[in-house]
Amino acid sequence: MSNSQIPASTTAAKNSDPSLHDSELNGSYSELHKPYSSFKSRDAYLKHELQIMQPRRWRPNLPFRDYRFEFEDTIPAMAATIGKVVMVGAIAATFAGPLGLGEAFVLENVRYELLIVALFVILFSGFLLPTANLAGTHGPLIPLIPIVVAAGGHPMAFGLLIGAFGLLLAISKGGSLLANLTSKGVCGGLLLYLGFIGTTSQVKNLFAWSESIGMTHIAFTVILCTILLYALLEHWQKRWLAVPLSCFLGGGIAFAMGAPFEFQTAPGLPNMSPMYWWGENTGWMLGLPTIESFIVVLPFAILAVAMWSPDFLGHQVFQKISYPKRTERVLMDIDDTMVSASFRQVAGSLLGGTNFASSWGTYIVPAAIAKRPIPAGAVLTALFCLVAGVWGYPMDLAIWEPVMCVALIVGVFIPLLEAGMEMTREGKTTQSAAIVVFASALVNPAFGWSLTLVLDNLGLIGSKERSASLTKMSRWIIPVVTFIVLTGVMAIVGMLPGIPALLPGFRH
């Protein structure tokens, strides 16, 4: 295998063909399952569970028949719930400001979204598509929302177009095609950039919060103790416990040092009527979208879906690096994840939700570290979201900075950094990785990925042998078209630094 190709797992390049593993499975999952006591270690048991799973695509996947629940499943479920509250709250707040909506709208819509997502997570990732990652929130889209609102964009029109374009990309297998054309160096650089930017942003957020309460020393203490805890967990090979222990440590230290905290969100249910949310004097206070509303958000929707591929690819590659050999059948399927995210997006927008869907990073990264398949944790995530949405109090804890920031750092961003470093250790991968980081810093990760995809596949950087082995279509036609489309849409809406939006309507 070329050093520039993405491996199916770190230890099993020669076992990357699922059909080879199929012949080794003589029996169903329930027949092949063995109790934990039959193994020398917990790690061996979890690896065996991954290797004997036989996901049924578009057919019922049932607990105990097709998969089991383990304690490790609670870790990604908890991290995912924290991430969901934070991300949906950020999108709702970003919309609420320009539209003149208050905190009550943000709180109620977040609760509404927690209930909506619980249904779709169980239906798709927990039942019908067990290799589809959970449909989460499109974090990279948040900086675009003020521009969308200023241009007169309607949230329902925006969401429906994202769902429609996402479904087209999934049906055409475009997501997996672009993933296969992305080399190890390009993907590694993307992970490095996302991990570094995410880590530094959360550290800054924690210090900003500490300064706002006049206790800057709390942020330093919390982060220092989190670093030491993470190092110890790495040493003990218990890194999958990083999220709950770090949250407990960060919140406990901050509270003990005098940081203010109180539960404010009482138990309750949000308004469940779509007519309320899309009323002219209730909910969003925007009414239903018009044809013009769809035209305004069209370029933003194209860009949102185009940004899915690098996001989804990063999550899948992290899974490949973390899983043992002979687990290809349980890896996240990019096209199925796009199908799940698209259906969830359309339904959520029609019902009146704030969320814009993508692959759920705060779930899949901790799940991969814990060596757990998608469906069991998906069911628990749905349960945790229901509890948080109805009970209310967990939402207050999830968005408290000492808990939220350390959960995102140790649960998502540091593992992404580690995965990026793992992928760029050898060969000529460092050239492509450096260019991805450089180009992403210039505009954003979608721009950096698409530009480096062109340069790497043409053989200007990275492995010349890999470039020579590609077909004409794979070497330059698809990468160049992808880059032109992405960059063109960014230019239209004004996302290229120093260059005004090409369309006057987006110059705000």
Side-chain angles (χ1 to χ4, degrees):
M1 178 196 283
S2 167
N3 286 334
S4 298
Q5 293 175 316
I6 297 174
S9 71
T10 54
T11 57
K14 64 181 179 181
N15 294 299
S16 60
D17 185 358
S19 63
L20 297 178
H21 184 38
D22 290 347
S23 61
E24 300 174 13
L25 293 177
N26 298 315
S28 65
Y29 166 79
S30 56
E31 293 170 341
L32 295 170
H33 172 76
K34 297 178 182 179
Y36 165 54
S37 58
S38 303
F39 297 87
K40 293 182 179 179
S41 66
R42 183 72 179 173
D43 189 59
Y45 168 71
L46 294 174
K47 287 180 178 179
H48 180 259
E49 284 291 289
L50 287 173
Q51 291 166 341
I52 64 172
M53 271 194 65
Q54 301 169 46
R56 304 163 185 257
R57 187 172 179 266
W58 292 115
R59 286 185 291 167
N61 290 263
L62 303 177
F64 307 108
R65 187 193 72 179
D66 299 302
Y67 60 87
R68 274 174 166 74
F69 297 100
E70 304 291 344
F71 171 75
E72 287 84 355
D73 291 311
T74 63
I75 308 304
M78 186 179 78
T81 305
I82 292 173
K84 172 57 64 176
V85 173
V86 172
M87 298 302 290
V88 176
I91 288 183
T94 307
F95 264 114
L99 293 175
L101 304 172
E103 287 187 11
F105 166 84
V106 175
L107 173 63
E108 190 170 17
N109 205 280
V110 170
R111 294 185 107 153
Y112 191 35
E113 277 289 353
L114 288 172
L115 303 184
I116 294 173
V117 77
L119 171 64
F120 279 88
V121 162
I122 291 179
L123 178 62
F124 284 97
S125 299
F127 188 62
L128 293 176
L129 287 174
T131 54
N133 187 26
L134 286 59
T137 302
H138 203 336
L141 204 61
I142 293 177
L144 274 179
I145 292 176
I147 306 174
V148 174
V149 176
H154 194 290
M156 181 194 280
F158 192 23
L160 292 178
L161 285 180
I162 290 176
F165 289 146
L167 198 56
L168 287 174
L169 189 63
I171 292 173
S172 65
K173 304 291 184 182
S176 56
L177 173 63
L178 291 172
N180 292 333
L181 294 181
T182 303
S183 73
K184 194 175 178 181
V186 175
C187 192
L190 186 65
L191 294 179
L192 283 170
Y193 179 80
L194 294 174
F196 179 76
I197 292 299
T199 300
T200 54
S201 68
Q202 291 306 315
V203 170
K204 289 178 182 177
N205 289 343
L206 190 55
F207 270 98
W209 167 80
S210 295
E211 291 176 3
S212 69
I213 62 173
M215 299 179 175
T216 312
H217 58 284
I218 291 181
F220 178 82
T221 306
V222 166
I223 293 172
L224 179 61
C225 291
T226 301
I227 292 171
L228 296 175
L229 173 64
Y230 193 80
L232 288 172
L233 292 175
E234 286 271 22
H235 177 69
W236 294 328
Q237 297 185 347
K238 299 291 184 183
R239 193 173 52 148
W240 58 275
L241 287 170
V243 172
L245 294 183
S246 296
C247 288
F248 179 79
L249 181 70
I253 289 175
F255 191 74
M257 295 181 73
F261 174 77
E262 59 179 333
F263 291 107
Q264 297 177 329
T265 307
L269 287 171
N271 194 305
M272 308 289 281
S273 170
M275 298 309 297
Y276 165 82
W277 289 105
W278 296 121
E280 294 185 357
N281 299 305
T282 55
W284 289 90
M285 299 187 184
L286 292 173
L288 295 174
T290 62
I291 296 298
E292 183 181 352
S293 303
F294 285 92
I295 295 174
V296 167
V297 298
L298 181 63
F300 296 103
I302 295 173
L303 181 59
V305 173
M307 292 168 72
W308 273 5
S309 289
D311 201 24
F312 286 43
L313 176 62
H315 295 161
Q316 186 196 57
V317 169
F318 188 85
Q319 220 183 6
K320 288 180 178 180
I321 288 176
S322 303
Y323 277 8
K325 60 183 179 181
R326 301 195 308 275
T327 56
E328 292 77 17
R329 61 170 65 246
V330 296
L331 290 173
M332 165 187 163
D333 185 282
I334 289 179
D335 297 313
D336 284 350
T337 302
M338 287 186 174
V339 169
S340 172
S342 299
F343 278 115
R344 184 262 182 273
Q345 180 60 65
V346 170
S349 295
L350 290 174
L351 291 172
T354 313
N355 190 72
F356 295 106
S358 185
S359 178
W360 200 327
T362 52
Y363 172 79
I364 199 67
V365 172
I369 294 172
K371 293 183 173 61
R372 293 299 297 150
I374 291 172
V379 174
L380 293 184
T381 299
L383 177 62
F384 286 9
C385 286
L386 283 172
V387 171
V390 175
W391 195 10
Y393 297 129
M395 293 172 60
D396 295 323
L397 194 58
I399 61 173
W400 194 38
E401 281 79 357
V403 173
M404 175 186 71
C405 293
V406 297
L408 294 176
I409 289 172
V410 303
V412 179
F413 299 123
I414 293 297
L416 289 180
L417 270 175
E418 293 178 351
M421 293 174 184
E422 176 73 22
M423 296 187 71
T424 55
R425 287 192 308 171
E426 54 187 27
K428 297 181 179 180
T429 55
T430 52
Q431 298 175 358
S432 303
I435 295 297
V436 172
V437 174
F438 191 8
S440 297
L442 174 63
V443 184
N444 57 39
F447 177 86
W449 164 74
S450 62
L451 175 60
T452 315
L453 184 67
V454 174
L455 300 177
D456 188 76
N457 284 18
L458 286 176
L460 298 179
I461 56 176
S463 172
K464 305 296 188 293
E465 294 80 8
R466 175 184 174 274
S467 174
S469 68
L470 296 174
T471 65
K472 180 179 178 181
M473 182 68 71
S474 300
R475 185 183 300 114
W476 69 271
I477 295 179
I478 294 176
V480 168
V481 169
T482 301
F483 175 71
I484 291 174
V485 170
L486 261 176
T487 308
V489 173
M490 290 181 193
I492 288 172
V493 301
M495 287 190 66
L496 299 180
I499 301 176
L502 298 184
L503 293 183
F506 296 119
R507 295 174 186 170
H508 297 282

